[in-house]
Amino acid sequence: MNEMRIGIIGLGNMGTGHAQYLAKGQVKNGVLTAVCDDRQERLEWARKELGEQVKTFANVEEFLGSGAIDGVIVATPHYSHPELAIKAFAYGLHVLIEKPAGVYTKQVREMNEAAAASGKVFGIMYNQRSNPLYRKLRDLIISGELGEVRRTNWIVTNWYRSQSYYNSGGWRATWAGEGGGVLINQDPHQLDLWGWTTGLKPKRMRAFCQFGKNRDIEVENDVTAYVEYENGATGVFVTSTTDAPGTNRFEVSGDRGKIVIEDGKLTFWRLRVPESEFNATFTGGFGQPECWKCEVPIQSGNGEQQHAAITQDWVNAVVKGTPLLAPGEEGINGLMLSNAMLLSTWTDNWVDFPIDEELFYAKLQEQIRQSKTTKVAGEYQTLNVQGTH
Amino acid sequence: MNEMRIGIIGLGNMGTGHAQYLAKGQVKNGVLTAVCDDRQERLEWARKELGEQVKTFANVEEFLGSGAIDGVIVATPHYSHPELAIKAFAYGLHVLIEKPAGVYTKQVREMNEAAAASGKVFGIMYNQRSNPLYRKLRDLIISGELGEVRRTNWIVTNWYRSQSYYNSGGWRATWAGEGGGVLINQDPHQLDLWGWTTGLKPKRMRAFCQFGKNRDIEVENDVTAYVEYENGATGVFVTSTTDAPGTNRFEVSGDRGKIVIEDGKLTFWRLRVPESEFNATFTGGFGQPECWKCEVPIQSGNGEQQHAAITQDWVNAVVKGTPLLAPGEEGINGLMLSNAMLLSTWTDNWVDFPIDEELFYAKLQEQIRQSKTTKVAGEYQTLNVQGTH
């Protein structure tokens, strides 16, 4: 295949963005040939803005079976990602899903199994993996420059959302509509990067979610989580939608020093000798390893091109057989952290990894049943709110 | 009283420091008249360095009952602070204790009761309360400039201690000798300031201590704690002795913005209108309160004079009747946080405030009984290690 024919399902904010850069030819060897949405206004927009060569569909099956596409970008509401991806694989299509991979790991595991069985290229829109800051962090850790990781600490409280935001869509911040709050809507990138940059595997977690804190919503919007990793390291993740101004500060400590990402900068305090070596040989009582504050070059990056970069990576994988930067199968990792934080709160107890997916699913259903929200979840299908992430 | 006669019990590093600035006349209206230590070498040092007018005692009762002093600074090992303070009150003396107030809250509560019954002036050497950075933080919070506090986050992992440090004294880092690790030895100031600067009252805590992490010791040297306060705010405290280089970053978020103390600097991001007001009136969907990064003047301070400042404050309280900056009775607050972190780990459960002091005491005794350390706790009495904090 020299050119990949791409379809998009879901023309909300994200799907519209993907359509626009594809229509502008910003993805080499990728051409937009079809879109699908059940909202007539979005299809009219597509006919007007994307040109006649892009077919429009209101019916999913017709779209997937049209023969007009080799792969599909799934940009629909969270809950439907796995279901649509599984359908697409059944039609022999390559798939790129928007984040999060889904709402609960049970459905995402099933999607991963379908992907593996299909042999198709399966990606996820973890565009932050193309952010040079996080790529450099991963590089410094995976290459061993930081030494074995001992501690992670991510304060990501800069997801401010007002009540007005929550009121802007009936599905928003409901268990039935979105399946969660800040963890499922705002944090998926950070939850992915937390594991992807460090390579750490969580062993168990204890987390503390607060629901509707300073907001009239039913889902979590303030979370503190503590994790113990398989290698003995520990970690903290703090997130919120009501802190103003919030913080986005990611600190990782290792045997060879400390790295902090904050304010769009990465700083590496590097030890001259590893701490473990210093500790084993030092005899002076007080004293600590010599440390250098290092300036590490970071490639300049354009945030707006990150989505196109992930799509390009997916197209390259299909056309050239190159490995994916963000394999779809890895979407379950960040989601499992998110699910674990809720589950630990609901059970008021530790959660071991991998989590009990059936228990989480049952607890989520319980939340949906007990929901007292007056919001109408179905609205999700008929609204297009610009600015959603 | 125009001049207060001061005695010091315990001429280790801290007691020696107090003796030196007192002997130099750096505390107005305070004069050093006696010292007590059961180590002859320390008494010889005192006779040589402090002058003939300072009496020396090897026996505590003779020292307290000598009639040569109006008040005593207690600078002995942690466990003995309450016992000696209670004795001193019984002799009608004013008391200034070194931190921590004690090792377990049961003994500290008894000390507080004895202090109240005595009517004497009871202070604690929380010298960081005289640090202009933390005084300003408290000022900004107590005066309402930050608005109601919503979140605290203190990463204080810059207490690096090598194995060599732990090996430098037999009592060090043992349950019998010091009664704990980083919490009781390195963190008392931060545990005090955490509450003193914010005015927050803890409601319950869940904490995760690791014992002997990367070190051959039996006590905790790596801690992550999560706290929920009475006003609904939450907090995190992370501390360690093995991170190199560590971090000391204290962030407090409130309804009117955010303050961060790091690298000896205080930064205040102030909202133009309180977040709660913005949230109640904003109708724009996405958007957040206007925020100003403010430069707040901080009085320059001399860290070395902080101890003398607390002693001066105590002398002023005795001589002039002024209120104490660091009342001894408040020593129980930071200690209770420290005890709660251990207790939550030992019981693998939540700890409600005030903590169950009998349960903590029983658990501590259990640790002492089960101790496999080959260190000799009694050594504490006969060693003088310079540089201890």
mmCIF file with all atom_site columns, all heavy atoms in Angstrom, chain A residues 206-208 341-351 363, chain B residues 204 206 228 348-350:
data_model
loop_
_atom_site.group_PDB
_atom_site.id
_atom_site.type_symbol
_atom_site.label_atom_id
_atom_site.label_alt_id
_atom_site.label_comp_id
_atom_site.label_asym_id
_atom_site.label_entity_id
_atom_site.label_seq_id
_atom_site.pdbx_PDB_ins_code
_atom_site.Cartn_x
_atom_site.Cartn_y
_atom_site.Cartn_z
_atom_site.occupancy
_atom_site.B_iso_or_equiv
_atom_site.pdbx_formal_charge
_atom_site.auth_seq_id
_atom_site.auth_comp_id
_atom_site.auth_asym_id
_atom_site.auth_atom_id
_atom_site.pdbx_PDB_model_num
ATOM 1   N N   . ARG A 1 206 ? -3.293  2.902  46.400 1.00 0.00 ? 206 ARG A N   1
ATOM 2   C CA  . ARG A 1 206 ? -4.299  3.358  47.366 1.00 0.00 ? 206 ARG A CA  1
ATOM 3   C C   . ARG A 1 206 ? -4.635  4.777  46.954 1.00 0.00 ? 206 ARG A C   1
ATOM 4   O O   . ARG A 1 206 ? -3.730  5.620  46.875 1.00 0.00 ? 206 ARG A O   1
ATOM 5   C CB  . ARG A 1 206 ? -3.701  3.313  48.785 1.00 0.00 ? 206 ARG A CB  1
ATOM 6   C CG  . ARG A 1 206 ? -4.702  3.530  49.903 1.00 0.00 ? 206 ARG A CG  1
ATOM 7   C CD  . ARG A 1 206 ? -5.661  2.367  50.042 1.00 0.00 ? 206 ARG A CD  1
ATOM 8   N NE  . ARG A 1 206 ? -6.593  2.584  51.155 1.00 0.00 ? 206 ARG A NE  1
ATOM 9   C CZ  . ARG A 1 206 ? -7.716  3.289  51.026 1.00 0.00 ? 206 ARG A CZ  1
ATOM 10  N NH1 . ARG A 1 206 ? -8.039  3.825  49.887 1.00 0.00 ? 206 ARG A NH1 1
ATOM 11  N NH2 . ARG A 1 206 ? -8.518  3.437  52.065 1.00 0.00 ? 206 ARG A NH2 1
ATOM 12  N N   . ALA A 1 207 ? -5.896  5.022  46.660 1.00 0.00 ? 207 ALA A N   1
ATOM 13  C CA  . ALA A 1 207 ? -6.245  6.341  46.131 1.00 0.00 ? 207 ALA A CA  1
ATOM 14  C C   . ALA A 1 207 ? -7.475  6.915  46.822 1.00 0.00 ? 207 ALA A C   1
ATOM 15  O O   . ALA A 1 207 ? -8.252  6.186  47.447 1.00 0.00 ? 207 ALA A O   1
ATOM 16  C CB  . ALA A 1 207 ? -6.476  6.253  44.630 1.00 0.00 ? 207 ALA A CB  1
ATOM 17  N N   . PHE A 1 208 ? -7.591  8.227  46.704 1.00 0.00 ? 208 PHE A N   1
ATOM 18  C CA  . PHE A 1 208 ? -8.599  8.984  47.444 1.00 0.00 ? 208 PHE A CA  1
ATOM 19  C C   . PHE A 1 208 ? -9.259  9.964  46.485 1.00 0.00 ? 208 PHE A C   1
ATOM 20  O O   . PHE A 1 208 ? -8.711  11.026 46.195 1.00 0.00 ? 208 PHE A O   1
ATOM 21  C CB  . PHE A 1 208 ? -7.943  9.706  48.611 1.00 0.00 ? 208 PHE A CB  1
ATOM 22  C CG  . PHE A 1 208 ? -7.003  8.814  49.385 1.00 0.00 ? 208 PHE A CG  1
ATOM 23  C CD1 . PHE A 1 208 ? -5.637  8.797  49.105 1.00 0.00 ? 208 PHE A CD1 1
ATOM 24  C CD2 . PHE A 1 208 ? -7.485  7.929  50.340 1.00 0.00 ? 208 PHE A CD2 1
ATOM 25  C CE1 . PHE A 1 208 ? -4.772  7.942  49.770 1.00 0.00 ? 208 PHE A CE1 1
ATOM 26  C CE2 . PHE A 1 208 ? -6.630  7.064  51.007 1.00 0.00 ? 208 PHE A CE2 1
ATOM 27  C CZ  . PHE A 1 208 ? -5.265  7.061  50.728 1.00 0.00 ? 208 PHE A CZ  1
ATOM 28  N N   . MET A 1 341 ? -7.842  3.986  40.714 1.00 0.00 ? 341 MET A N   1
ATOM 29  C CA  . MET A 1 341 ? -8.054  5.105  41.646 1.00 0.00 ? 341 MET A CA  1
ATOM 30  C C   . MET A 1 341 ? -9.498  5.163  42.120 1.00 0.00 ? 341 MET A C   1
ATOM 31  O O   . MET A 1 341 ? -9.783  5.368  43.293 1.00 0.00 ? 341 MET A O   1
ATOM 32  C CB  . MET A 1 341 ? -7.644  6.422  40.980 1.00 0.00 ? 341 MET A CB  1
ATOM 33  C CG  . MET A 1 341 ? -6.138  6.518  40.764 1.00 0.00 ? 341 MET A CG  1
ATOM 34  S SD  . MET A 1 341 ? -5.665  8.061  39.927 1.00 0.00 ? 341 MET A SD  1
ATOM 35  C CE  . MET A 1 341 ? -3.961  7.643  39.441 1.00 0.00 ? 341 MET A CE  1
ATOM 36  N N   . LEU A 1 342 ? -10.421 4.938  41.189 1.00 0.00 ? 342 LEU A N   1
ATOM 37  C CA  . LEU A 1 342 ? -11.838 4.916  41.580 1.00 0.00 ? 342 LEU A CA  1
ATOM 38  C C   . LEU A 1 342 ? -12.137 3.699  42.443 1.00 0.00 ? 342 LEU A C   1
ATOM 39  O O   . LEU A 1 342 ? -12.798 3.799  43.473 1.00 0.00 ? 342 LEU A O   1
ATOM 40  C CB  . LEU A 1 342 ? -12.721 4.909  40.328 1.00 0.00 ? 342 LEU A CB  1
ATOM 41  C CG  . LEU A 1 342 ? -12.822 6.250  39.592 1.00 0.00 ? 342 LEU A CG  1
ATOM 42  C CD1 . LEU A 1 342 ? -13.479 6.061  38.233 1.00 0.00 ? 342 LEU A CD1 1
ATOM 43  C CD2 . LEU A 1 342 ? -13.599 7.267  40.422 1.00 0.00 ? 342 LEU A CD2 1
ATOM 44  N N   . LEU A 1 343 ? -11.611 2.553  42.023 1.00 0.00 ? 343 LEU A N   1
ATOM 45  C CA  . LEU A 1 343 ? -11.906 1.311  42.740 1.00 0.00 ? 343 LEU A CA  1
ATOM 46  C C   . LEU A 1 343 ? -11.370 1.355  44.171 1.00 0.00 ? 343 LEU A C   1
ATOM 47  O O   . LEU A 1 343 ? -12.035 0.915  45.115 1.00 0.00 ? 343 LEU A O   1
ATOM 48  C CB  . LEU A 1 343 ? -11.308 0.129  41.972 1.00 0.00 ? 343 LEU A CB  1
ATOM 49  C CG  . LEU A 1 343 ? -11.728 -1.274 42.409 1.00 0.00 ? 343 LEU A CG  1
ATOM 50  C CD1 . LEU A 1 343 ? -13.250 -1.430 42.408 1.00 0.00 ? 343 LEU A CD1 1
ATOM 51  C CD2 . LEU A 1 343 ? -11.087 -2.330 41.506 1.00 0.00 ? 343 LEU A CD2 1
ATOM 52  N N   . SER A 1 344 ? -10.177 1.901  44.344 1.00 0.00 ? 344 SER A N   1
ATOM 53  C CA  . SER A 1 344 ? -9.604  2.008  45.684 1.00 0.00 ? 344 SER A CA  1
ATOM 54  C C   . SER A 1 344 ? -10.473 2.895  46.570 1.00 0.00 ? 344 SER A C   1
ATOM 55  O O   . SER A 1 344 ? -10.673 2.626  47.756 1.00 0.00 ? 344 SER A O   1
ATOM 56  C CB  . SER A 1 344 ? -8.180  2.565  45.604 1.00 0.00 ? 344 SER A CB  1
ATOM 57  O OG  . SER A 1 344 ? -7.653  2.786  46.893 1.00 0.00 ? 344 SER A OG  1
ATOM 58  N N   . THR A 1 345 ? -11.006 3.947  45.973 1.00 0.00 ? 345 THR A N   1
ATOM 59  C CA  . THR A 1 345 ? -11.888 4.842  46.738 1.00 0.00 ? 345 THR A CA  1
ATOM 60  C C   . THR A 1 345 ? -13.200 4.152  47.076 1.00 0.00 ? 345 THR A C   1
ATOM 61  O O   . THR A 1 345 ? -13.670 4.194  48.212 1.00 0.00 ? 345 THR A O   1
ATOM 62  C CB  . THR A 1 345 ? -12.174 6.117  45.922 1.00 0.00 ? 345 THR A CB  1
ATOM 63  O OG1 . THR A 1 345 ? -10.930 6.721  45.549 1.00 0.00 ? 345 THR A OG1 1
ATOM 64  C CG2 . THR A 1 345 ? -13.002 7.108  46.732 1.00 0.00 ? 345 THR A CG2 1
ATOM 65  N N   . TRP A 1 346 ? -13.795 3.502  46.091 1.00 0.00 ? 346 TRP A N   1
ATOM 66  C CA  . TRP A 1 346 ? -15.085 2.839  46.312 1.00 0.00 ? 346 TRP A CA  1
ATOM 67  C C   . TRP A 1 346 ? -14.975 1.707  47.328 1.00 0.00 ? 346 TRP A C   1
ATOM 68  O O   . TRP A 1 346 ? -15.897 1.465  48.092 1.00 0.00 ? 346 TRP A O   1
ATOM 69  C CB  . TRP A 1 346 ? -15.639 2.308  44.985 1.00 0.00 ? 346 TRP A CB  1
ATOM 70  C CG  . TRP A 1 346 ? -16.137 3.388  44.069 1.00 0.00 ? 346 TRP A CG  1
ATOM 71  C CD1 . TRP A 1 346 ? -16.636 4.616  44.439 1.00 0.00 ? 346 TRP A CD1 1
ATOM 72  C CD2 . TRP A 1 346 ? -16.210 3.350  42.630 1.00 0.00 ? 346 TRP A CD2 1
ATOM 73  N NE1 . TRP A 1 346 ? -17.002 5.336  43.325 1.00 0.00 ? 346 TRP A NE1 1
ATOM 74  C CE2 . TRP A 1 346 ? -16.766 4.586  42.198 1.00 0.00 ? 346 TRP A CE2 1
ATOM 75  C CE3 . TRP A 1 346 ? -15.875 2.407  41.669 1.00 0.00 ? 346 TRP A CE3 1
ATOM 76  C CZ2 . TRP A 1 346 ? -16.977 4.890  40.849 1.00 0.00 ? 346 TRP A CZ2 1
ATOM 77  C CZ3 . TRP A 1 346 ? -16.087 2.704  40.324 1.00 0.00 ? 346 TRP A CZ3 1
ATOM 78  C CH2 . TRP A 1 346 ? -16.639 3.936  39.931 1.00 0.00 ? 346 TRP A CH2 1
ATOM 79  N N   . THR A 1 347 ? -13.866 0.981  47.293 1.00 0.00 ? 347 THR A N   1
ATOM 80  C CA  . THR A 1 347 ? -13.706 -0.136 48.236 1.00 0.00 ? 347 THR A CA  1
ATOM 81  C C   . THR A 1 347 ? -12.984 0.307  49.504 1.00 0.00 ? 347 THR A C   1
ATOM 82  O O   . THR A 1 347 ? -12.870 -0.460 50.446 1.00 0.00 ? 347 THR A O   1
ATOM 83  C CB  . THR A 1 347 ? -12.898 -1.288 47.590 1.00 0.00 ? 347 THR A CB  1
ATOM 84  O OG1 . THR A 1 347 ? -11.603 -0.791 47.217 1.00 0.00 ? 347 THR A OG1 1
ATOM 85  C CG2 . THR A 1 347 ? -13.599 -1.835 46.355 1.00 0.00 ? 347 THR A CG2 1
ATOM 86  N N   . ASP A 1 348 ? -12.504 1.545  49.538 1.00 0.00 ? 348 ASP A N   1
ATOM 87  C CA  . ASP A 1 348 ? -11.731 2.074  50.669 1.00 0.00 ? 348 ASP A CA  1
ATOM 88  C C   . ASP A 1 348 ? -10.612 1.111  51.040 1.00 0.00 ? 348 ASP A C   1
ATOM 89  O O   . ASP A 1 348 ? -10.424 0.762  52.201 1.00 0.00 ? 348 ASP A O   1
ATOM 90  C CB  . ASP A 1 348 ? -12.647 2.329  51.873 1.00 0.00 ? 348 ASP A CB  1
ATOM 91  C CG  . ASP A 1 348 ? -11.989 3.257  52.910 1.00 0.00 ? 348 ASP A CG  1
ATOM 92  O OD1 . ASP A 1 348 ? -10.967 3.900  52.598 1.00 0.00 ? 348 ASP A OD1 1
ATOM 93  O OD2 . ASP A 1 348 ? -12.491 3.310  54.056 1.00 0.00 ? 348 ASP A OD2 1
ATOM 94  N N   . ASN A 1 349 ? -9.870  0.693  50.035 1.00 0.00 ? 349 ASN A N   1
ATOM 95  C CA  . ASN A 1 349 ? -8.860  -0.336 50.271 1.00 0.00 ? 349 ASN A CA  1
ATOM 96  C C   . ASN A 1 349 ? -7.789  -0.286 49.178 1.00 0.00 ? 349 ASN A C   1
ATOM 97  O O   . ASN A 1 349 ? -7.906  0.451  48.203 1.00 0.00 ? 349 ASN A O   1
ATOM 98  C CB  . ASN A 1 349 ? -9.527  -1.718 50.262 1.00 0.00 ? 349 ASN A CB  1
ATOM 99  C CG  . ASN A 1 349 ? -8.777  -2.728 51.104 1.00 0.00 ? 349 ASN A CG  1
ATOM 100 O OD1 . ASN A 1 349 ? -7.609  -2.533 51.461 1.00 0.00 ? 349 ASN A OD1 1
ATOM 101 N ND2 . ASN A 1 349 ? -9.433  -3.818 51.417 1.00 0.00 ? 349 ASN A ND2 1
ATOM 102 N N   . TRP A 1 350 ? -6.734  -1.071 49.364 1.00 0.00 ? 350 TRP A N   1
ATOM 103 C CA  . TRP A 1 350 ? -5.722  -1.248 48.342 1.00 0.00 ? 350 TRP A CA  1
ATOM 104 C C   . TRP A 1 350 ? -6.334  -1.889 47.105 1.00 0.00 ? 350 TRP A C   1
ATOM 105 O O   . TRP A 1 350 ? -7.263  -2.686 47.213 1.00 0.00 ? 350 TRP A O   1
ATOM 106 C CB  . TRP A 1 350 ? -4.613  -2.189 48.847 1.00 0.00 ? 350 TRP A CB  1
ATOM 107 C CG  . TRP A 1 350 ? -3.726  -1.621 49.903 1.00 0.00 ? 350 TRP A CG  1
ATOM 108 C CD1 . TRP A 1 350 ? -3.791  -1.881 51.248 1.00 0.00 ? 350 TRP A CD1 1
ATOM 109 C CD2 . TRP A 1 350 ? -2.616  -0.733 49.716 1.00 0.00 ? 350 TRP A CD2 1
ATOM 110 N NE1 . TRP A 1 350 ? -2.790  -1.191 51.901 1.00 0.00 ? 350 TRP A NE1 1
ATOM 111 C CE2 . TRP A 1 350 ? -2.049  -0.485 50.986 1.00 0.00 ? 350 TRP A CE2 1
ATOM 112 C CE3 . TRP A 1 350 ? -2.053  -0.123 48.599 1.00 0.00 ? 350 TRP A CE3 1
ATOM 113 C CZ2 . TRP A 1 350 ? -0.950  0.352  51.177 1.00 0.00 ? 350 TRP A CZ2 1
ATOM 114 C CZ3 . TRP A 1 350 ? -0.955  0.716  48.781 1.00 0.00 ? 350 TRP A CZ3 1
ATOM 115 C CH2 . TRP A 1 350 ? -0.415  0.945  50.059 1.00 0.00 ? 350 TRP A CH2 1
ATOM 116 N N   . VAL A 1 351 ? -5.746  -1.575 45.962 1.00 0.00 ? 351 VAL A N   1
ATOM 117 C CA  . VAL A 1 351 ? -6.082  -2.271 44.717 1.00 0.00 ? 351 VAL A CA  1
ATOM 118 C C   . VAL A 1 351 ? -4.793  -2.845 44.155 1.00 0.00 ? 351 VAL A C   1
ATOM 119 O O   . VAL A 1 351 ? -3.813  -2.120 43.961 1.00 0.00 ? 351 VAL A O   1
ATOM 120 C CB  . VAL A 1 351 ? -6.727  -1.305 43.704 1.00 0.00 ? 351 VAL A CB  1
ATOM 121 C CG1 . VAL A 1 351 ? -6.795  -1.946 42.331 1.00 0.00 ? 351 VAL A CG1 1
ATOM 122 C CG2 . VAL A 1 351 ? -8.114  -0.892 44.173 1.00 0.00 ? 351 VAL A CG2 1
ATOM 123 N N   . LYS A 1 363 ? -18.972 -2.096 40.003 1.00 0.00 ? 363 LYS A N   1
ATOM 124 C CA  . LYS A 1 363 ? -19.040 -0.862 40.805 1.00 0.00 ? 363 LYS A CA  1
ATOM 125 C C   . LYS A 1 363 ? -19.468 0.330  39.938 1.00 0.00 ? 363 LYS A C   1
ATOM 126 O O   . LYS A 1 363 ? -20.198 1.211  40.385 1.00 0.00 ? 363 LYS A O   1
ATOM 127 C CB  . LYS A 1 363 ? -17.681 -0.569 41.442 1.00 0.00 ? 363 LYS A CB  1
ATOM 128 C CG  . LYS A 1 363 ? -17.277 -1.560 42.526 1.00 0.00 ? 363 LYS A CG  1
ATOM 129 C CD  . LYS A 1 363 ? -17.947 -1.235 43.835 1.00 0.00 ? 363 LYS A CD  1
ATOM 130 C CE  . LYS A 1 363 ? -17.546 -2.225 44.922 1.00 0.00 ? 363 LYS A CE  1
ATOM 131 N NZ  . LYS A 1 363 ? -18.358 -2.032 46.142 1.00 0.00 ? 363 LYS A NZ  1
ATOM 132 N N   . ARG B 1 204 ? -8.470  13.116 59.345 1.00 0.00 ? 204 ARG B N   1
ATOM 133 C CA  . ARG B 1 204 ? -8.004  11.727 59.281 1.00 0.00 ? 204 ARG B CA  1
ATOM 134 C C   . ARG B 1 204 ? -6.851  11.624 58.291 1.00 0.00 ? 204 ARG B C   1
ATOM 135 O O   . ARG B 1 204 ? -6.674  12.492 57.429 1.00 0.00 ? 204 ARG B O   1
ATOM 136 C CB  . ARG B 1 204 ? -9.122  10.757 58.905 1.00 0.00 ? 204 ARG B CB  1
ATOM 137 C CG  . ARG B 1 204 ? -9.719  10.972 57.527 1.00 0.00 ? 204 ARG B CG  1
ATOM 138 C CD  . ARG B 1 204 ? -10.695 9.847  57.205 1.00 0.00 ? 204 ARG B CD  1
ATOM 139 N NE  . ARG B 1 204 ? -11.111 9.919  55.806 1.00 0.00 ? 204 ARG B NE  1
ATOM 140 C CZ  . ARG B 1 204 ? -11.729 8.942  55.147 1.00 0.00 ? 204 ARG B CZ  1
ATOM 141 N NH1 . ARG B 1 204 ? -12.006 7.801  55.772 1.00 0.00 ? 204 ARG B NH1 1
ATOM 142 N NH2 . ARG B 1 204 ? -12.070 9.080  53.880 1.00 0.00 ? 204 ARG B NH2 1
ATOM 143 N N   . ARG B 1 206 ? -4.084  8.810  56.019 1.00 0.00 ? 206 ARG B N   1
ATOM 144 C CA  . ARG B 1 206 ? -3.690  7.479  55.540 1.00 0.00 ? 206 ARG B CA  1
ATOM 145 C C   . ARG B 1 206 ? -2.261  7.633  55.072 1.00 0.00 ? 206 ARG B C   1
ATOM 146 O O   . ARG B 1 206 ? -1.973  8.475  54.214 1.00 0.00 ? 206 ARG B O   1
ATOM 147 C CB  . ARG B 1 206 ? -4.610  7.057  54.386 1.00 0.00 ? 206 ARG B CB  1
ATOM 148 C CG  . ARG B 1 206 ? -4.449  5.607  53.959 1.00 0.00 ? 206 ARG B CG  1
ATOM 149 C CD  . ARG B 1 206 ? -5.026  4.665  54.996 1.00 0.00 ? 206 ARG B CD  1
ATOM 150 N NE  . ARG B 1 206 ? -4.909  3.265  54.564 1.00 0.00 ? 206 ARG B NE  1
ATOM 151 C CZ  . ARG B 1 206 ? -3.789  2.536  54.695 1.00 0.00 ? 206 ARG B CZ  1
ATOM 152 N NH1 . ARG B 1 206 ? -2.703  3.065  55.236 1.00 0.00 ? 206 ARG B NH1 1
ATOM 153 N NH2 . ARG B 1 206 ? -3.760  1.279  54.281 1.00 0.00 ? 206 ARG B NH2 1
ATOM 154 N N   . GLU B 1 228 ? -6.804  14.354 55.266 1.00 0.00 ? 228 GLU B N   1
ATOM 155 C CA  . GLU B 1 228 ? -8.034  15.121 55.025 1.00 0.00 ? 228 GLU B CA  1
ATOM 156 C C   . GLU B 1 228 ? -8.259  16.014 56.227 1.00 0.00 ? 228 GLU B C   1
ATOM 157 O O   . GLU B 1 228 ? -8.203  15.554 57.365 1.00 0.00 ? 228 GLU B O   1
ATOM 158 C CB  . GLU B 1 228 ? -9.222  14.179 54.804 1.00 0.00 ? 228 GLU B CB  1
ATOM 159 C CG  . GLU B 1 228 ? -9.099  13.392 53.502 1.00 0.00 ? 228 GLU B CG  1
ATOM 160 C CD  . GLU B 1 228 ? -10.213 12.380 53.254 1.00 0.00 ? 228 GLU B CD  1
ATOM 161 O OE1 . GLU B 1 228 ? -11.078 12.210 54.142 1.00 0.00 ? 228 GLU B OE1 1
ATOM 162 O OE2 . GLU B 1 228 ? -10.204 11.749 52.185 1.00 0.00 ? 228 GLU B OE2 1
ATOM 163 N N   . ASP B 1 348 ? -2.292  -0.465 58.786 1.00 0.00 ? 348 ASP B N   1
ATOM 164 C CA  . ASP B 1 348 ? -2.718  -0.509 57.382 1.00 0.00 ? 348 ASP B CA  1
ATOM 165 C C   . ASP B 1 348 ? -4.141  0.016  57.249 1.00 0.00 ? 348 ASP B C   1
ATOM 166 O O   . ASP B 1 348 ? -4.995  -0.601 56.613 1.00 0.00 ? 348 ASP B O   1
ATOM 167 C CB  . ASP B 1 348 ? -2.615  -1.942 56.829 1.00 0.00 ? 348 ASP B CB  1
ATOM 168 C CG  . ASP B 1 348 ? -2.665  -1.968 55.300 1.00 0.00 ? 348 ASP B CG  1
ATOM 169 O OD1 . ASP B 1 348 ? -2.496  -0.902 54.668 1.00 0.00 ? 348 ASP B OD1 1
ATOM 170 O OD2 . ASP B 1 348 ? -2.874  -3.059 54.734 1.00 0.00 ? 348 ASP B OD2 1
ATOM 171 N N   . ASN B 1 349 ? -4.377  1.173  57.870 1.00 0.00 ? 349 ASN B N   1
ATOM 172 C CA  . ASN B 1 349 ? -5.741  1.710  57.905 1.00 0.00 ? 349 ASN B CA  1
ATOM 173 C C   . ASN B 1 349 ? -5.719  3.218  58.122 1.00 0.00 ? 349 ASN B C   1
ATOM 174 O O   . ASN B 1 349 ? -4.669  3.802  58.365 1.00 0.00 ? 349 ASN B O   1
ATOM 175 C CB  . ASN B 1 349 ? -6.515  1.035  59.046 1.00 0.00 ? 349 ASN B CB  1
ATOM 176 C CG  . ASN B 1 349 ? -8.006  0.987  58.773 1.00 0.00 ? 349 ASN B CG  1
ATOM 177 O OD1 . ASN B 1 349 ? -8.533  1.704  57.926 1.00 0.00 ? 349 ASN B OD1 1
ATOM 178 N ND2 . ASN B 1 349 ? -8.697  0.138  59.504 1.00 0.00 ? 349 ASN B ND2 1
ATOM 179 N N   . TRP B 1 350 ? -6.897  3.820  58.041 1.00 0.00 ? 350 TRP B N   1
ATOM 180 C CA  . TRP B 1 350 ? -7.051  5.224  58.373 1.00 0.00 ? 350 TRP B CA  1
ATOM 181 C C   . TRP B 1 350 ? -6.723  5.447  59.844 1.00 0.00 ? 350 TRP B C   1
ATOM 182 O O   . TRP B 1 350 ? -6.962  4.564  60.682 1.00 0.00 ? 350 TRP B O   1
ATOM 183 C CB  . TRP B 1 350 ? -8.497  5.672  58.154 1.00 0.00 ? 350 TRP B CB  1
ATOM 184 C CG  . TRP B 1 350 ? -8.922  5.775  56.729 1.00 0.00 ? 350 TRP B CG  1
ATOM 185 C CD1 . TRP B 1 350 ? -9.660  4.871  56.032 1.00 0.00 ? 350 TRP B CD1 1
ATOM 186 C CD2 . TRP B 1 350 ? -8.655  6.856  55.820 1.00 0.00 ? 350 TRP B CD2 1
ATOM 187 N NE1 . TRP B 1 350 ? -9.870  5.327  54.744 1.00 0.00 ? 350 TRP B NE1 1
ATOM 188 C CE2 . TRP B 1 350 ? -9.271  6.540  54.590 1.00 0.00 ? 350 TRP B CE2 1
ATOM 189 C CE3 . TRP B 1 350 ? -7.962  8.063  55.935 1.00 0.00 ? 350 TRP B CE3 1
ATOM 190 C CZ2 . TRP B 1 350 ? -9.211  7.389  53.476 1.00 0.00 ? 350 TRP B CZ2 1
ATOM 191 C CZ3 . TRP B 1 350 ? -7.904  8.903  54.831 1.00 0.00 ? 350 TRP B CZ3 1
ATOM 192 C CH2 . TRP B 1 350 ? -8.516  8.566  53.620 1.00 0.00 ? 350 TRP B CH2 1
#
